[in-house]
Amino acid sequence: MEKVKTKTIKVNPKIKIDEKILEAAKNEADLEKQVIVHCLVKSSPIDTYVRIWKSTYLRDKDSSHKSKLLTAHNITFYPIWMPVKSGRNAKFTLVFSALPKECTSFDLFEDIPQGGGFYSGLISRNKTDVYSVDLYF
């Protein structure tokens, strides 16, 4: 292995970084912390309908932290229903704000004022913060 010589460079601590650049960097870092949940609703013997409410969140099992739903793909938001034909699965993706670093497990909870909300309990945290869950209602 070849050795590479390096030289220490002193950085001027009086340099100021434009606020717009700092904000853009913060937003980029926040994007990296999002939690992605790929969901599967298994087929039903009859035609059915699904939708997601914006009140859906991830709940840290060891604290009161709730990660809010930022966006969803391939599913409609309340009040619009999305039809699912009998014998077909519904697949969609939910994107949430970051979970705390200390979080080791969490629940996915659709908090709605009626029965039939989605729920998936005790999801073990991983390093990628990308998950696949089967949902039941």
Side-chain angles (χ1 to χ4, degrees), residues 2-136:
E2 185 179 329
K3 288 187 177 182
V4 177
K5 292 183 180 182
T6 60
K7 184 177 181 181
T8 304
I9 301 172
K10 292 184 180 181
V11 176
N12 184 347
K14 295 179 183 178
I15 294 175
K16 296 195 180 202
I17 300 173
D18 186 298
E19 290 296 321
K20 289 179 184 176
I21 293 172
L22 285 175
E23 186 63 28
K26 180 186 177 303
N27 290 340
E28 188 69 27
D30 288 344
L31 283 175
E32 296 290 325
K33 295 178 185 175
Q34 292 177 343
V35 180
I36 310 295
V37 181
H38 298 291
C39 302
L40 172 70
V41 177
K42 299 241 177 157
S43 66
S44 170
I46 60 171
D47 289 354
T48 190
Y49 297 87
V50 296
R51 63 184 176 191
I52 197 77
W53 289 56
K54 291 185 180 183
S55 55
T56 302
Y57 59 87
L58 303 179
R59 179 177 50 203
D60 181 1
K61 293 296 275 186
D62 296 322
S63 75
S64 60
H65 176 85
K66 294 178 181 177
S67 291
K68 69 179 186 172
L69 178 63
L70 301 175
T71 191
H73 303 281
N74 298 325
I75 190 167
T76 56
F77 280 102
Y78 169 85
I80 300 166
W81 288 101
M82 181 179 86
V84 180
K85 295 285 185 190
S86 67
R88 298 259 177 135
N89 294 332
K91 296 178 184 178
F92 54 92
T93 301
L94 306 176
V95 180
F96 295 90
S97 60
L99 287 162
K101 285 182 183 180
E102 307 80 29
C103 175
T104 58
S105 63
F106 59 93
D107 296 331
L108 181 150
F109 185 69
E110 186 181 33
D111 188 15
I112 61 174
Q114 61 191 49
F118 291 123
Y119 174 78
S120 183
L122 202 57
I123 301 168
S124 294
R125 183 93 183 264
N126 64 38
K127 292 180 182 181
T128 64
D129 269 344
V130 177
Y131 306 89
S132 293
V133 297
D134 293 343
L135 295 176
Y136 304 94

